[in-house]
Every structure is written in structure tokens, then in C-alpha cells.
Amino acid sequence: MESLKQKAKELLEAGEIKAVLGYARGTSDTRRPHVAMSALEVDKLVADQACTTNLANLLMKHEIKHLGKLAVVASRPSTLRSLLQLTAEHQVADGAILALVPAEGGVKQLGTAQAFEEHLALVPQKKTEKDQALLDRLKAMPRAERFAFWQKEFSRCMKCYACRNSCPMCYCERCTMDCNRPQWVPVPSHAVGNQEYHLVRAMHLAGRCVECGECGRACPVGIPVHLLTFFAEDSVRAQFGQGGGASATIDNALSTFRPDDKETFIR
Amino acid sequence: MCHCEDKNIYLPYLMRIAQVTQEAPGVKTFRLEFQNEEEGQKFEFKTGQFGLYSVFGEGESTFCIASSPTRKGYIECTFRESGRVTSALADKEVGDTIGFRGPYGNVFPLDAWKGKNLVFIAGGIALPPLRSVIWNCLDLRENFKDITVVYGARSVNDLVYKHELKEWEGRSDINLVCTVDPGGETPDWTGKVGFIPMVVEGLGLSAENTVAIVCGPPIMIKLTLPVLQKLGFPPENTYTTLENRMKCGLGKCGRCNTGSSYVCKDGPVYTLAQLNGLPAEY
Amino acid sequence: MAERYKLTQDALSALFEALAKDGRRILAPTDADGRTELNAVTSPDQVSKQYLQTILSAKETVFPKVERLLSYTTEGGKVDLKDAQPHALPTVLFGVRPCEAGAFKALDAVFNWDSRDKFFNARLEKLAIIGVSCTSADEACFCTSAGGGPGDTQGSDILLTPVQGGYLAEILTPRGEAIQALAPQFFQAGATEDKEAVLAKVEKAFDREALTAKLPGMFENPVWKQQSLRCIGCGACAFVCPTCVCFDIQEEADPKKGERLRLWDSCGFSLFTLHASGHNPREVQSARWRQRIYHKFAYYPERYQQYGCVGCGKCTRACPADMNLKEHLVEAAQAQ
Ligand SMILES: Cc1cc2nc3c(=O)[nH]c(=O)nc-3n(C[C@H](O)[C@H](O)[C@H](O)COP(=O)(O)OP(=O)(O)OC[C@H]3O[C@@H](n4cnc5c(N)ncnc54)[C@H](O)[C@@H]3O)c2cc1C
Ligand code: SF4
Ligand code: SF4
Ligand code: SF4
Ligand code: SF4
Ligand code: FES
């Protein structure tokens, strides 16, 4: 933690960056996102096991983007995976954002997509046991039962869009949900509106989701929405041999046309 | 308290479209008559007020009432196609039914203007709110001294209420100055060419015993207000209207406020002095 | 002070039965996979044993997330319009906390300050509240800074305070008396237990009235921007809030018929104030965050002589970015 603060101060003082996006102590000893632009603010930085939020979505936020060059504390591999995917989608230029990775006895400073990829090779992406268990259960369910499961979960949804807004890959300036010509998805948070929203969200993220689980964590009413995109991600990986967040040069499976596609209907 | 007395405040009147006028590209005026005559007779409004007009199947949209309260039996609205509801509205024809609820909001204080000169300055599609008050003042002409109207649009084609502009031009009790932006004129254009703030500055207006009413796109208002200030119009005598996004029109849905002022209740008519005391959330 | 009665746990079961017999639905906090939710119950056994608060507020009982305002059929340019009647069930809210019980007054202020909202009123009229005092609080709570307290009676028709062997019951309103009258034998008069002793201790964190007086002068203060840097502009805080009342009106229709619906909305969404032209008077999240604070602590008191926040802390608990309202208000109160 001390070396992280040290590093952050050095970078700020040298003028290499304008701000560090990291974590600070939050309510009831949780961790919250924290933007440090001065030595005083750097002192509030925390790096430990409790830092679970994927900060990458904040990097896409207008006010933060405009602070100037940023370093982000990448306590979780998924933050780096997000950066790779965002680079692949031309939202972040390679080298534009520094990643500070707290490591045994120090802090690793990574500046390029290649460095992110090399680091990620050392820390394989793993779902939590709880997520994996529920995902396996869902996959084993007959279709009707699975449908019923989600219907029940969606009945609690209130379309607060915390799941969408916390997702690093949901950066669109104008989300489909916010368009009314045509009105693709009903606005009300009733059975149909909720279901269509979640279907569209899952489809828009299939092959792009970096499996950070942030959406599910953000949901105030505990709907495991991240399992929808995890599920979609597994399907895309099985079908196309690639998933979200693996590299900075990947073409998204569901939005790329190739004349040599293995399916004939698309050619 | 028993709720059975409570009316449904969101229920619109049903209105029949009695007349459709294509004012300019993408801009139409509807004359609307109450389907239920009794409701129509009871209906009253004052100039400056607005309403929520609905296309059943699409939703509601906010427009001022563009006709004068002195003209009974109908109301008019002029709107520009700019979104889902306004586009659907533009497809409606004479005889079709739409919804209207209102009148909402505050009013232009015509009583306080008695015995004064009036200068109306409107840009683009912002003539509708002023058209109501201009007709209202013309219908009570003896209450006011000189009436001047400065109206500008991007091009000749974009001017709304063309036939009424002609009528005003022919009247001796109103001084109409029309202008179009440079490049927007046609060969037979007899009005001015130039931006509204410049035209206003060149008119040699006196602020003495005069109120100014300005409506238009934000940029035009922004550039015109300093000119009026230079001419000596005090902020208390300069009026404008705000168009914050609205849903309820009733001071409940919480979205139209600029600072503590609810545009749907405390507005849409404001003096510059009032606006100076509010945060610029418009 | 209202007379205090003793209500034993057994008597509470009998009271639930009496309420059911009277045709009332009872909504109470229940446990659901580690969450506390408001659900219909028939017996006190189903009520959560250990809960701080429900995640969502009880406002849904008077202001549902989807409310039909009217419906219509259309044919060949003609419209047949139908008024909507809210389907309001006689309901008893059991176990809501004093902060939330007090929130209905804030909703009432908005729905009825000028014109009267029949949908809200029809539902509120059928609602009775049996509040339960707080014996514990968390870091998000700040009721005592918001005009209430863990044993505050405002808003409840009956307030119960857990004591040895049951509850201390304060009958506060005619609605409370009507409930008592359903089963008077279960309310033992002359209870002497010390209410204050069992209540949670919630330190006052800031002076609300002083903050209100200060807010108009600090619209451009940098705190709003600093605080909201991590805010992601979702609707979680507003949707769980017992006093947030902002709504949207949307149409749902097919070519022949349709309805107009009122939906929960939030000033935190960028779409909230966006004009069809693309212009947005609140362009950035800091402006929206400031609106949230000002609405509750400056505009409400000015217009309705009523605050728009009861300090329940639900927004803080629900916020994915851990925007701690109490902490932010303290910061604002101290800002230069
Ligand atoms: C007091 C007042 C007076 C006015 N007078 C006039 C007038 O006289 N003439 C005139 O032309 N204009 C007037 N306006 C402006 C007019 O109200 C708007 O330009 C017009 O309503 C916008 O078009 P629309 O309703 O068709 O837009 P719509 O497309 O129906 O609605 C537009 C809004 O919906 C939002 N939206 C889009 N998708 C969604 C979604 N999925 N969920 C939720 N929201 C969504 C958009 O962001 C946009 O802000 C006035 C406004 C006010 C406040
Ligand atoms: S969909 Fe959920 S898990 Fe996937 S990237 Fe977005 S927030 Fe993370
Ligand atoms: S965060 Fe939860 S409640 Fe909010 S929109 Fe997403 S799934 Fe629905
Ligand atoms: S703003 Fe937060 S603390 Fe205040 S009433 Fe709403 S949810 Fe409770
Ligand atoms: S304060 Fe929290 S809950 Fe509210 S909009 Fe911001 S991120 Fe969402
Ligand atoms: S339009 Fe709803 S409060 Fe003003």
C-alpha cells in the first residue's frame, strides 16, 4: 500500500499523470472508488483484498476522462481486461492509461496493452466459486426452468440501470434504452420491459463482457445479472474461440463479418 | 378526506383538429376545438400559458398556447417536428382527435404593462408564445402605447405565420420589423437582412416606459440581452420564457426546475431580473 | 404523549389475524436470500427477526413503479378515453422504521401541494402504518440529523418498540385506534417499560436548518463536483428512497388501444432533463448530484415547508459507488 502511494505521488509530482483512480475506505469498512489528484488525496488510497470494484467504467466517464492523463489502480485483473477490450473497441488508445498493479512487495507499473496482456497471462481469469456454482446450476436446468428462474429474478428489477452504468463496456453515449425512435424496448419496469432490457443488455455484451461481475454487484436488489453475460460469454467462447477482454486487437465475434465465416447463412 | 372528490389531473381534454397550417418546413399550426362543447365553454387561459398535447399511442409534448385568449372557442399550437410525439403529431389531419391538458404555468402580466410601449423580439420558431400575447395586446390595443415586433428567422422560408406577418405589416398600430440571417433572403425579400441582436441595436429603441419581451433559441437570447441592457432596458422590464423539459406540468414530476423555480408552475414567463437570481439550469 | 400499552408476541399474532379478518393485507420485512424485502405476510413468524431496514422503501404501496393513469381505444382518428382507477388494497405496513414512516408526509407534500393526485391519495387512504422503533442503526443512518429519530412517532399510526416479552405500543392516530379497536383485549394498558433505553443511539451529524440556509450560497462550490466524481448516474438511490418522487410519463400502445403510465424516474439519469434537441440543462453528473441534494434540502423546504429526506440511509446502502449521503451532507455543512 505504501509503495502504491509512493508511486502515485511520484507520478503526480513528475507531471506524468493528472490523477490516480483507485480505492479509498468507504462506508462500513467497504472500499469505494477514489480519485486522487494531490498528495493529500493519495494518502487516502487503499489497496487490499476488499478492493473489488472494477474501476474501468469510471475511466469512461466524461468528468474523469477530462481530468487529463490517468493512472488506474488495477487491483483486479478485470480492470486490465476491461482496458484491453476498450482498446480493441477504440475507446482507449494504447498507452493512454497507466495501470498500477499492487503486487507482493511493491507496485507494478504497466503502460501498454502488451504489458497488460503479459501481466494477465500470470493471473488467469477465474469466476468466484459462488458464481461458478450458480452458473453450472443454470446451465444444467431445462430451458423452461431456467426461464422461470430469470422471470422470478427480473420481477424484482426496477430499471435503475445500476447494472448498465457500472459496466465498463456499456459506454455508449446514447444507449438503446434511452432512444425512443423507435422505442425498441418498453420503458416501464414491468415484466416485458424488464425481460427485454436484460435480453438486449446480454446480447450487446456477448463476446465483449470481461466477466468482472460489476453489474451483479451493483444491483441493489441482488439480481445476478452478471450470470447472463457470463453465460453469453461462455457460448461465444465455445462458438468462436474468443471472448471479451483477452486482447487489444480482437474483433468482436458478434459484430464482425468475415467472408470465411463457418456459418453459411451469413456469407 | 375522501379521494372520490379527486379528479384525475392527468386526464386530457379530447380536441378535434379543426385546421392545419404548414408554417415552414417541419413547422405546423393546429387549430383545436374541444370535442365536448361544455368543456370548451368553461375553458379559460391567459397569454403565456402552455399545455401538454398528446398523440394517443405516442405520448405528450409541451407547447405554449399560441392563440390569444381573446379569441374564444378554440386554441392553437405551433410546433416543430423534433421528436417522437411531435413527428406523430405532424402526421395528424383535420378531423383527428388529440389530447390537451392545461392551461398550466404563469402569465404575461398584461395589467402591469398598461400604458407602456411594448417591444417583442422573437427568433425562429419562438414566435408562437409571443404570437398569443401580441394578438392579445392588439385586441386590447387601447391599453398600450407603441407596439414593435422584431422577428427573425434563418431564411424567408423559415418564417412562421407568414399571412399574419402580412396583416401586421399592413396595420398602422403595430410596427413590424422582419429580418432573415444573411444568405437566407430571397430576391423579392423586402425585410431586413441581418442577425436579430444587430437589427435590434439599429432600431433606435428607447427603453423609456417600455417593456421588452424576448423569445428564441438560447444563442439569440444570449446575444440580444446585452443589446437591450445597452439600450437601457432594466432587467425588471425584460421578459422571456423558458422551455425546460416537462412531463407533468403540475409541479410534481420534478424535472423542469431551474434552481428552486419550477418552470411549469413559477414559469414559463420570467423577467430577466428573476432569471439573474436563479442558477442557469436551462 | 400517547398512552403506552404492552403488546406481547402472542398478542401480535392475534392482531395479525384480526387484521386479516378485517380484510387488510399486511406487508412486512421478510428475509429473502440474505436480503430484506417487503412482502405480504399473514403471521409475525414470517417477519424478519433481525433486520435493519428493507432494501426498497415502502413507497411502492402508494407510488408503485408503474401506475396506469388512463387508457384509451383509438379508431380511425377517434379516441375513446377511459379514466383509470387505482386498485388500492386496504393495507397495513408492519415493521417499517420510524424514518420511513415519516417519509409519507414528504410524498404527500409533492403529490398534493397544489393539485391533488388521486392515485396517490386513493392508496394512502387505505394505508395504516404500524412502525417498529430501531434498536440498532448503521453508518448510513442519520435520522436524528433529518428531523426524526429511532423512536420517532411521526408518520406511524401505531409505533411499537421492542421490549422484554413483546412490544411497547403507542397508539398515535385515529387509524391506529381503529386497529386497536379490532382487538382491544391484546393491548394491555399501563405499560411502564423504558422506551428510550432500548432505542439505537444515532448521533446528530449536522444541523439541517443551517445547511438549508447555506445551500443557496454554495451552488458553485467545488464539493459537488468532488463528491460526484465516482457517481455513475444510475437510478438506484432515487428508486430505493422513500421520499424520491420524480416520475416519468410514458405511453404503451398498439394501433388500437393503449395506456398512459407513470413510472419512477431519477434526477440522476442524464436523460432526465435532456431536450429532444440534444441540449441538456444538467449536462454533467455533478449538476445532477447537486440537484438531488438541493431538491431535498433546499427546494422542498422552500416550497412545501417539508424536507425531502428522512435520513434512512437506503440510498447509501444501495449505491454501487458508495456515495454516502450523510458524509456528503456533513462535508457540505462544513464546506467553506
Ligand atoms: C413551456 C414550454 C413551451 C413550449 N412551447 C413550444 C412551442 O410552442 N412549440 C414548439 O415547437 N416547442 C415548444 N416547446 C418545446 C417542445 O416541448 C419540445 O421541443 C418537444 O416536446 C420535443 O419533441 P417531442 O415531444 O416530439 O419529443 P419526444 O421524442 O416525444 O420526447 C423527447 C424527449 O424524450 C426523451 N427520450 C428519448 N428516449 C427516451 C426513453 N427511452 N425513455 C425516456 N425518455 C426518452 C428524449 O431525451 C427527449 O428529451 C415548449 C417547451 C416548454 C417547456
Ligand atoms: S456485463 Fe457485467 S460482468 Fe460483463 S463487463 Fe459488464 S459489468 Fe462486467
Ligand atoms: S441494477 Fe438490478 S434493479 Fe437495477 S436495472 Fe439492473 S437488474 Fe434491474
Ligand atoms: S435521500 Fe437517502 S437518506 Fe434521504 S430519505 Fe432518501 S434514501 Fe433515505
Ligand atoms: S449516488 Fe450512487 S445510486 Fe445515486 S446515481 Fe450516483 S452512483 Fe447511482
Ligand atoms: S413539469 Fe413536472 S414538475 Fe414541472
Side-chain angles (χ1 to χ4, degrees):
Chain A
M1 199 140 88
E2 285 318 308
S3 46
L4 172 68
K5 291 183 191 171
Q6 191 56 41
K7 186 87 213 164
K9 281 180 191 166
E10 277 170 28
L11 289 167
L12 281 169
E13 256 165 50
E16 275 185 58
I17 54 168
K18 277 278 181 298
V20 182
L21 176 60
Y23 305 86
R25 204 165 290 281
T27 311
S28 306
D29 213 31
T30 56
R31 302 291 177 261
R32 65 166 61 139
H34 174 66
V35 179
M37 301 182 72
S38 65
L40 207 69
E41 288 168 341
V42 167
D43 282 330
K44 292 195 188 140
L45 285 175
V46 177
D48 59 18
Q49 286 303 312
C51 300
T52 46
T53 315
N54 178 1
L55 298 174
N57 84 333
L58 285 174
L59 293 172
M60 302 309 294
K61 191 177 154 180
H62 177 267
E63 291 92 325
I64 293 194
K65 247 196 223 167
H66 287 82
L67 289 175
K69 175 138 180 165
L70 294 168
V72 62
V73 178
S75 293
R76 307 180 61 212
S78 59
T79 304
L80 295 179
R81 295 169 57 81
S82 310
L83 282 171
L84 287 179
Q85 184 67 24
L86 288 168
T87 308
E89 296 183 11
H90 310 292
Q91 298 302 312
V92 167
D94 189 358
I97 291 170
L98 273 186
L100 301 177
V101 185
E104 285 291 311
V107 54
K108 247 169 120 174
Q109 178 183 333
L110 309 173
T112 60
Q114 199 193 335
F116 298 168
E117 279 181 37
E118 284 164 10
H119 177 77
L120 284 171
L122 311 171
V123 279
Q125 170 82 353
K126 244 181 87 208
K127 299 182 179 81
T128 67
E129 271 168 39
K130 192 173 160 226
D131 284 347
Q132 192 61 61
L134 184 51
L135 196 57
D136 291 343
R137 220 186 91 204
L138 281 166
K139 283 185 181 171
M141 279 180 193
R143 197 175 278 244
E145 191 185 331
R146 193 159 63 216
F147 188 72
F149 171 89
W150 284 114
Q151 294 250 294
K152 183 155 172 274
E153 291 296 314
F154 294 160
S155 70
R156 291 202 304 282
C157 177
M158 47 191 182
K159 283 209 180 171
C160 70
Y161 297 131
C163 46
R164 174 190 70 179
N165 291 18
S166 61
C167 174
M169 304 322 299
C170 279
Y171 51 72
C172 294
E173 274 285 316
R174 195 81 190 249
C175 171
T176 312
M177 302 304 139
D178 296 346
C179 296
N180 65 353
R181 284 203 295 169
Q183 187 86 61
W184 291 113
V185 178
V187 182
S189 170
H190 50 32
V192 179
N194 290 348
Q195 186 177 321
E196 286 192 19
Y197 162 53
H198 287 291
L199 278 177
V200 170
R201 201 185 80 87
M203 285 312 289
H204 282 190
L205 283 153
R208 305 174 53 235
C209 167
V210 301
E211 296 171 300
C212 61
E214 205 51 53
C215 46
R217 207 170 300 117
C219 178
V221 292
I223 305 174
V225 276
H226 57 302
L227 296 187
L228 285 173
T229 52
F230 283 17
F231 198 124
E233 209 50 32
D234 280 352
S235 309
V236 171
R237 252 195 304 265
Q239 297 295 322
F240 298 90
Q242 65 174 57
S247 110
T249 49
I250 208 162
D251 288 330
N252 286 332
L254 297 196
S255 55
T256 309
F257 172 75
R258 290 218 191 101
D260 60 342
D261 198 286
K262 70 180 165 123
E263 298 292 345
T264 48
F265 75 89
I266 207 162
R267 275 186 252 152
Chain B
M1 212 174 299
C2 175
H3 71 271
C4 34
E5 301 157 22
D6 290 348
K7 287 201 323 269
N8 183 349
I9 49 179
Y10 305 96
L11 209 59
Y13 298 112
L14 291 181
M15 312 295 282
R16 199 186 78 90
I17 302 177
Q19 192 181 310
V20 176
T21 313
Q22 181 86 42
E23 302 284 1
V27 182
K28 281 186 177 173
T29 297
F30 283 178
R31 175 168 296 192
L32 304 170
E33 289 169 358
F34 288 80
Q35 243 175 36
N36 177 330
E37 270 183 40
E38 209 183 309
E39 284 175 350
Q41 259 138 31
K42 276 197 230 145
F43 182 81
E44 276 180 15
F45 76 99
K46 287 193 166 142
T47 184
Q49 291 192 289
F50 67 91
L52 278 111
Y53 301 72
S54 46
V55 180
F56 294 97
E58 300 295 340
E60 296 184 301
S61 215
T62 321
F63 316 126
C64 66
I65 305 177
S67 51
S68 166
T70 50
R71 313 285 168 101
K72 305 279 184 205
Y74 64 87
I75 58 168
E76 287 179 333
C77 67
T78 301
F79 61 92
R80 179 195 292 281
E81 274 179 61
S82 51
R84 175 176 166 188
V85 176
T86 43
S87 302
L89 205 54
D91 291 339
K92 295 283 167 194
E93 295 165 358
V94 170
D96 285 350
T97 301
I98 66 166
F100 168 82
R101 54 189 180 90
Y104 298 138
N106 69 351
V107 305
F108 284 110
L110 293 202
D111 286 340
W113 295 353
K114 271 191 187 156
K116 297 195 169 165
N117 303 308
L118 308 178
V119 179
F120 297 95
I121 305 168
I125 200 237
L127 192 53
L130 293 193
R131 175 197 188 225
S132 169
V133 57
I134 293 170
W135 275 120
N136 199 165
C137 294
L138 288 176
D139 288 346
L140 307 169
R141 189 64 191 84
E142 65 285 359
N143 286 352
F144 310 100
K145 294 174 85 177
D146 293 350
I147 297 182
T148 307
V149 176
V150 184
Y151 176 44
R154 221 165 352 145
S155 71
V156 175
N157 205 12
D158 287 313
L159 293 168
V160 298
Y161 307 132
K162 294 188 182 69
H163 50 285
E164 289 172 42
L165 293 176
K166 268 222 177 73
E167 186 183 335
W168 292 347
E169 212 160 25
R171 282 176 73 144
S172 58
D173 57 352
I174 171 171
N175 172 24
L176 177 72
V177 182
C178 280
T179 179
V180 295
D181 291 355
E185 68 270 31
T186 48
D188 55 352
W189 175 245
T190 54
K192 299 207 182 259
V193 175
F195 297 105
I196 293 170
M198 268 83 98
V199 172
V200 171
E201 195 161 11
L203 284 182
L205 292 169
S206 156
E208 183 67 32
N209 193 32
T210 305
V211 292
I213 304 100
V214 193
C215 282
I219 180 73
M220 174 224 131
I221 295 194
K222 206 171 149 186
L223 297 175
T224 307
L225 290 179
V227 172
L228 289 174
Q229 206 172 3
K230 209 161 95 188
L231 292 171
F233 284 85
E236 297 74 30
N237 284 349
T238 308
Y239 291 80
T240 189
T241 61
L242 293 186
E243 294 199 345
N244 281 13
R245 193 169 165 216
M246 296 184 177
K247 282 287 177 179
C248 71
L250 297 158
K252 301 194 194 299
C253 78
R255 85 188 55 227
C256 67
N257 66 301
T258 174
S260 66
S261 185
Y262 278 41
V263 178
C264 71
K265 297 301 299 183
D266 312 325
V269 177
Y270 291 88
T271 65
L272 185 55
Q274 285 169 324
L275 287 187
N276 287 343
L278 290 171
E281 290 185 301
Y282 44 81
Chain C
M1 195 168 61
E3 189 175 353
R4 292 180 172 180
Y5 298 85
K6 180 77 184 278
L7 193 68
T8 63
Q9 190 66 30
D10 287 345
L12 191 60
S13 298
L15 181 63
F16 272 42
E17 278 169 33
L19 287 168
K21 213 183 275 162
D22 193 42
R24 307 206 207 190
R25 167 180 74 147
I26 306 172
L27 298 179
T30 59
D31 297 321
D33 294 331
R35 303 179 304 271
T36 310
E37 288 176 358
L38 198 65
N39 278 314
V41 300
T42 50
S43 133
D45 298 339
Q46 293 164 286
V47 179
S48 172
K49 299 285 167 290
Q50 267 284 320
Y51 68 96
L52 188 71
Q53 285 179 24
T54 50
I55 300 172
L56 293 189
S57 79
K59 77 174 167 197
E60 211 171 349
T61 54
V62 285
F63 173 34
K65 63 181 181 179
V66 181
E67 175 99 76
R68 192 200 301 135
L69 299 175
L70 56 90
S71 62
Y72 48 82
T73 51
T74 46
E75 220 181 310
K78 294 279 166 285
V79 175
D80 189 12
L81 191 60
K82 264 208 280 315
D83 193 354
Q85 298 305 334
H87 184 55
L89 299 170
T91 301
V92 174
L93 266 181
F94 178 87
V96 297
R97 298 306 187 185
C99 50
E100 255 198 85
F104 290 90
K105 229 172 93 197
L107 294 175
D108 191 32
V110 178
F111 279 121
N112 291 314
W113 74 282
D114 183 50
S115 47
R116 295 176 53 77
D117 188 286
K118 78 163 189 175
F119 300 94
F120 174 81
N121 293 340
R123 293 177 189 281
L124 188 66
E125 199 172 296
K126 296 245 168 100
L127 191 72
I129 301 176
I130 305 182
V132 174
S133 301
C134 296
T135 52
S136 67
D138 71 3
E139 264 186 56
C141 295
F142 60 98
C143 52
T144 48
S145 310
D152 189 32
T153 54
Q154 300 172 62
S156 293
D157 296 302
I158 296 178
L159 181 67
L160 303 181
T161 304
V163 291
Q164 197 68 40
Y167 297 94
L168 199 66
E170 294 169 88
I171 317 291
L172 300 156
T173 66
R175 277 182 208 196
E177 283 163 14
I179 290 177
Q180 185 189 22
L182 291 175
Q185 67 277 24
F186 299 122
F187 291 82
Q188 305 159 18
T192 54
E193 279 89 346
D194 183 0
K195 177 181 168 188
E196 298 306 316
V198 298
L199 296 180
K201 303 281 171 283
V202 182
E203 293 291 333
K204 198 168 166 188
F206 60 92
D207 182 335
R208 179 174 68 160
E209 281 69 24
L211 178 66
T212 299
K214 186 178 176 186
L215 284 175
M218 58 184 296
F219 201 79
E220 301 296 343
N221 197 290
V223 285
W224 312 125
K225 197 170 158 215
Q226 273 159 21
Q227 292 179 347
S228 63
L229 268 179
R230 66 178 185 277
C231 169
I232 57 173
C234 63
C237 50
F239 288 4
V240 301
C241 174
T243 64
C244 272
V245 63
C246 290
F247 59 80
D248 188 9
I249 298 177
Q250 289 282 341
E251 205 95 341
E252 280 217 311
D254 61 33
K256 288 223 137 103
K257 60 181 189 325
E259 44 191 28
R260 199 160 286 165
L261 305 171
R262 168 160 78 196
L263 315 173
W264 287 354
D265 207 343
S266 170
C267 61
F269 291 138
S270 58
L271 205 61
F272 192 64
T273 47
L274 184 67
H275 292 197
S277 67
H279 169 67
N280 194 344
R282 294 196 202 108
E283 186 85 60
V284 288
Q285 201 57 34
S286 52
R288 299 172 205 132
W289 170 248
R290 178 177 57 196
Q291 160 67 15
R292 184 170 172 74
I293 304 251
Y294 274 65
H295 197 214
K296 291 171 175 299
F297 290 90
Y299 309 155
Y300 263 67
E302 181 182 328
R303 186 169 298 265
Y304 316 120
Q305 291 75 54
Q306 162 77 42
Y307 276 85
C309 168
V310 294
C312 65
K314 284 192 197 307
C315 52
T316 303
R317 286 176 216 111
C319 175
D322 190 33
M323 297 281 282
N324 184 314
L325 184 60
K326 167 175 139 189
E327 182 187 318
H328 287 158
L329 292 169
V330 169
E331 245 172 53
Q334 290 169 353
Q336 296 299 310

